[in-house]
Short mmCIF file of all heavy atoms in Angstrom, two decimals:
data_model
loop_
_atom_site.label_atom_id
_atom_site.label_comp_id
_atom_site.label_asym_id
_atom_site.label_seq_id
_atom_site.Cartn_x
_atom_site.Cartn_y
_atom_site.Cartn_z
N SER A 1246 102.62 93.51 120.15
CA SER A 1246 101.48 94.40 120.41
C SER A 1246 101.79 95.40 121.52
O SER A 1246 101.24 96.51 121.53
CB SER A 1246 100.24 93.58 120.79
OG SER A 1246 100.42 92.92 122.03
N GLN A 1247 102.69 95.05 122.44
CA GLN A 1247 102.99 95.92 123.58
C GLN A 1247 104.15 96.88 123.30
O GLN A 1247 104.57 97.62 124.19
CB GLN A 1247 103.28 95.07 124.81
CG GLN A 1247 102.04 94.35 125.33
CD GLN A 1247 102.35 93.17 126.22
OE1 GLN A 1247 103.50 92.92 126.57
NE2 GLN A 1247 101.33 92.42 126.60
N THR A 1248 104.67 96.87 122.08
CA THR A 1248 105.74 97.81 121.70
C THR A 1248 105.47 98.52 120.37
O THR A 1248 106.04 99.58 120.13
CB THR A 1248 107.10 97.08 121.58
OG1 THR A 1248 106.96 95.96 120.68
CG2 THR A 1248 107.57 96.57 122.94
N LEU A 1249 104.60 97.95 119.55
CA LEU A 1249 104.40 98.48 118.19
C LEU A 1249 103.86 99.90 118.20
O LEU A 1249 104.13 100.68 117.28
CB LEU A 1249 103.45 97.54 117.42
CG LEU A 1249 103.31 97.78 115.92
CD1 LEU A 1249 104.65 97.64 115.22
CD2 LEU A 1249 102.30 96.80 115.33
N PHE A 1250 103.09 100.26 119.23
CA PHE A 1250 102.48 101.59 119.26
C PHE A 1250 103.52 102.72 119.29
O PHE A 1250 103.21 103.86 118.93
CB PHE A 1250 101.56 101.72 120.49
CG PHE A 1250 102.28 101.72 121.80
CD1 PHE A 1250 102.72 102.91 122.38
CD2 PHE A 1250 102.54 100.54 122.48
CE1 PHE A 1250 103.39 102.92 123.58
CE2 PHE A 1250 103.21 100.54 123.69
CZ PHE A 1250 103.64 101.73 124.25
N ALA A 1251 104.73 102.42 119.73
CA ALA A 1251 105.77 103.45 119.85
C ALA A 1251 106.66 103.55 118.61
O ALA A 1251 107.64 104.30 118.61
CB ALA A 1251 106.63 103.19 121.09
N VAL A 1252 106.35 102.80 117.56
CA VAL A 1252 107.13 102.88 116.32
C VAL A 1252 106.86 104.23 115.66
O VAL A 1252 105.73 104.70 115.59
CB VAL A 1252 106.75 101.73 115.36
CG1 VAL A 1252 107.29 101.99 113.96
CG2 VAL A 1252 107.30 100.41 115.88
N SER A 1253 107.90 104.86 115.16
CA SER A 1253 107.78 106.18 114.55
C SER A 1253 107.15 106.11 113.16
O SER A 1253 107.35 105.13 112.43
CB SER A 1253 109.16 106.84 114.45
OG SER A 1253 109.08 108.07 113.77
N ASP A 1254 106.39 107.15 112.81
CA ASP A 1254 105.87 107.26 111.44
C ASP A 1254 106.57 108.38 110.67
O ASP A 1254 106.13 108.80 109.61
CB ASP A 1254 104.35 107.49 111.46
CG ASP A 1254 103.96 108.74 112.24
OD1 ASP A 1254 104.86 109.46 112.71
OD2 ASP A 1254 102.74 109.00 112.38
N ASN A 1255 107.68 108.85 111.23
CA ASN A 1255 108.47 109.92 110.61
C ASN A 1255 109.52 109.32 109.69
O ASN A 1255 110.49 108.71 110.14
CB ASN A 1255 109.11 110.78 111.70
CG ASN A 1255 109.80 112.01 111.13
OD1 ASN A 1255 109.98 112.14 109.92
ND2 ASN A 1255 110.18 112.92 112.01
N GLU A 1256 109.31 109.49 108.38
CA GLU A 1256 110.21 108.89 107.40
C GLU A 1256 111.58 109.56 107.34
O GLU A 1256 112.49 109.07 106.66
CB GLU A 1256 109.56 108.92 106.01
CG GLU A 1256 108.33 108.05 105.88
CD GLU A 1256 108.65 106.56 106.00
OE1 GLU A 1256 109.82 106.19 105.76
OE2 GLU A 1256 107.74 105.78 106.34
N SER A 1257 111.76 110.68 108.05
CA SER A 1257 113.06 111.34 108.04
C SER A 1257 114.09 110.51 108.81
O SER A 1257 115.30 110.68 108.62
CB SER A 1257 112.96 112.74 108.64
OG SER A 1257 112.60 112.67 110.02
N ARG A 1258 113.64 109.63 109.70
CA ARG A 1258 114.52 108.67 110.39
C ARG A 1258 113.98 107.27 110.13
O ARG A 1258 113.30 106.69 110.98
CB ARG A 1258 114.56 108.95 111.89
CG ARG A 1258 115.27 110.23 112.31
CD ARG A 1258 116.77 110.18 112.03
NE ARG A 1258 117.42 109.04 112.63
CZ ARG A 1258 117.85 108.99 113.90
NH1 ARG A 1258 117.68 110.03 114.69
NH2 ARG A 1258 118.45 107.92 114.36
N PRO A 1259 114.23 106.71 108.95
CA PRO A 1259 113.64 105.42 108.56
C PRO A 1259 113.91 104.30 109.55
O PRO A 1259 113.07 103.41 109.74
CB PRO A 1259 114.28 105.13 107.20
CG PRO A 1259 114.72 106.46 106.69
CD PRO A 1259 115.09 107.26 107.90
N ILE A 1260 115.08 104.31 110.20
CA ILE A 1260 115.44 103.22 111.10
C ILE A 1260 114.46 103.10 112.26
O ILE A 1260 114.22 102.02 112.79
CB ILE A 1260 116.89 103.41 111.63
CG1 ILE A 1260 117.36 102.15 112.38
CG2 ILE A 1260 116.99 104.64 112.51
CD1 ILE A 1260 117.52 100.95 111.51
N HIS A 1261 113.83 104.23 112.66
CA HIS A 1261 112.91 104.21 113.79
C HIS A 1261 111.47 103.94 113.38
O HIS A 1261 110.57 103.96 114.22
CB HIS A 1261 113.00 105.52 114.57
CG HIS A 1261 114.29 105.68 115.30
ND1 HIS A 1261 114.86 106.91 115.57
CD2 HIS A 1261 115.15 104.75 115.81
CE1 HIS A 1261 116.00 106.73 116.21
NE2 HIS A 1261 116.19 105.43 116.36
N THR A 1262 111.24 103.65 112.07
CA THR A 1262 109.91 103.22 111.64
C THR A 1262 109.76 101.72 111.82
O THR A 1262 108.79 101.13 111.34
CB THR A 1262 109.66 103.60 110.17
OG1 THR A 1262 110.64 102.95 109.34
CG2 THR A 1262 109.74 105.10 109.97
N GLY A 1263 110.71 101.11 112.49
CA GLY A 1263 110.67 99.69 112.81
C GLY A 1263 111.04 99.45 114.25
O GLY A 1263 111.38 100.39 114.99
N SER A 1264 110.98 98.20 114.67
CA SER A 1264 111.33 97.81 116.04
C SER A 1264 112.65 97.04 116.04
O SER A 1264 112.90 96.21 115.16
CB SER A 1264 110.23 96.94 116.66
OG SER A 1264 109.04 97.67 116.82
N LEU A 1265 113.45 97.32 117.05
CA LEU A 1265 114.73 96.63 117.21
C LEU A 1265 114.51 95.28 117.89
O LEU A 1265 113.87 95.21 118.95
CB LEU A 1265 115.67 97.49 118.05
CG LEU A 1265 116.99 96.84 118.48
CD1 LEU A 1265 117.90 96.61 117.28
CD2 LEU A 1265 117.70 97.70 119.54
N PHE A 1266 115.01 94.21 117.28
CA PHE A 1266 115.04 92.88 117.88
C PHE A 1266 116.47 92.63 118.34
O PHE A 1266 117.39 92.62 117.52
CB PHE A 1266 114.62 91.81 116.88
CG PHE A 1266 113.14 91.65 116.70
CD1 PHE A 1266 112.36 92.73 116.33
CD2 PHE A 1266 112.51 90.43 116.92
CE1 PHE A 1266 111.00 92.61 116.16
CE2 PHE A 1266 111.15 90.30 116.76
CZ PHE A 1266 110.38 91.38 116.38
N GLU A 1267 116.66 92.40 119.63
CA GLU A 1267 117.99 92.20 120.19
C GLU A 1267 117.99 90.87 120.94
O GLU A 1267 117.18 90.68 121.86
CB GLU A 1267 118.31 93.36 121.14
CG GLU A 1267 119.78 93.54 121.43
CD GLU A 1267 120.03 94.83 122.20
OE1 GLU A 1267 119.54 94.95 123.33
OE2 GLU A 1267 120.71 95.70 121.65
N VAL A 1268 118.86 89.96 120.54
CA VAL A 1268 118.90 88.61 121.11
C VAL A 1268 120.23 88.37 121.78
O VAL A 1268 121.29 88.64 121.21
CB VAL A 1268 118.66 87.54 120.02
CG1 VAL A 1268 118.60 86.15 120.63
CG2 VAL A 1268 117.38 87.84 119.24
N ASP A 1269 120.18 87.88 123.02
CA ASP A 1269 121.40 87.50 123.74
C ASP A 1269 121.10 86.27 124.59
O ASP A 1269 120.06 85.62 124.43
CB ASP A 1269 121.91 88.66 124.60
CG ASP A 1269 120.87 89.18 125.59
OD1 ASP A 1269 119.95 88.41 125.96
OD2 ASP A 1269 120.97 90.35 126.00
N SER A 1270 122.01 85.94 125.48
CA SER A 1270 121.87 84.73 126.29
C SER A 1270 120.66 84.79 127.24
O SER A 1270 120.19 83.76 127.71
CB SER A 1270 123.14 84.48 127.10
OG SER A 1270 123.42 85.60 127.94
N GLU A 1271 120.16 85.99 127.52
CA GLU A 1271 119.03 86.15 128.44
C GLU A 1271 117.69 86.14 127.74
O GLU A 1271 116.65 86.11 128.40
CB GLU A 1271 119.20 87.44 129.24
CG GLU A 1271 120.43 87.44 130.15
CD GLU A 1271 120.52 88.72 130.97
OE1 GLU A 1271 119.69 89.62 130.75
OE2 GLU A 1271 121.43 88.80 131.81
N GLY A 1272 117.66 86.21 126.42
CA GLY A 1272 116.40 86.15 125.70
C GLY A 1272 116.28 87.20 124.62
O GLY A 1272 117.28 87.69 124.07
N LEU A 1273 115.04 87.57 124.31
CA LEU A 1273 114.74 88.52 123.25
C LEU A 1273 114.23 89.83 123.84
O LEU A 1273 113.37 89.84 124.71
CB LEU A 1273 113.67 87.94 122.30
CG LEU A 1273 113.02 88.91 121.30
CD1 LEU A 1273 114.05 89.40 120.29
CD2 LEU A 1273 111.85 88.23 120.59
N THR A 1274 114.77 90.94 123.34
CA THR A 1274 114.31 92.27 123.71
C THR A 1274 113.83 92.98 122.46
O THR A 1274 114.52 92.99 121.45
CB THR A 1274 115.44 93.10 124.36
OG1 THR A 1274 115.91 92.41 125.53
CG2 THR A 1274 114.93 94.47 124.78
N ILE A 1275 112.60 93.53 122.51
CA ILE A 1275 112.05 94.31 121.40
C ILE A 1275 111.91 95.75 121.87
O ILE A 1275 111.33 96.01 122.94
CB ILE A 1275 110.70 93.75 120.93
CG1 ILE A 1275 110.84 92.31 120.44
CG2 ILE A 1275 110.12 94.62 119.82
CD1 ILE A 1275 109.54 91.69 119.94
N VAL A 1276 112.43 96.68 121.08
CA VAL A 1276 112.42 98.10 121.45
C VAL A 1276 111.85 98.92 120.30
O VAL A 1276 112.23 98.72 119.14
CB VAL A 1276 113.84 98.61 121.77
CG1 VAL A 1276 113.78 100.07 122.23
CG2 VAL A 1276 114.50 97.74 122.83
#
């Protein structure tokens, strides 16, 4: 809920119509 508002609605860059989930030894980062 604290990151979804910044997801793009521009279909010309489909990859940015979603959120990045990045997992490492320190935890989860959503961008």
Side-chain angles (χ1 to χ4, degrees):
S1246 66
Q1247 291 161 6
T1248 54
L1249 191 59
F1250 68 90
V1252 166
S1253 175
D1254 58 3
N1255 187 348
E1256 294 294 337
S1257 65
R1258 291 292 305 276
I1260 190 67
H1261 291 151
T1262 61
S1264 294
L1265 172 68
F1266 278 57
E1267 199 171 64
V1268 184
D1269 56 24
S1270 58
E1271 296 182 355
L1273 168 66
T1274 301
I1275 300 180
V1276 183

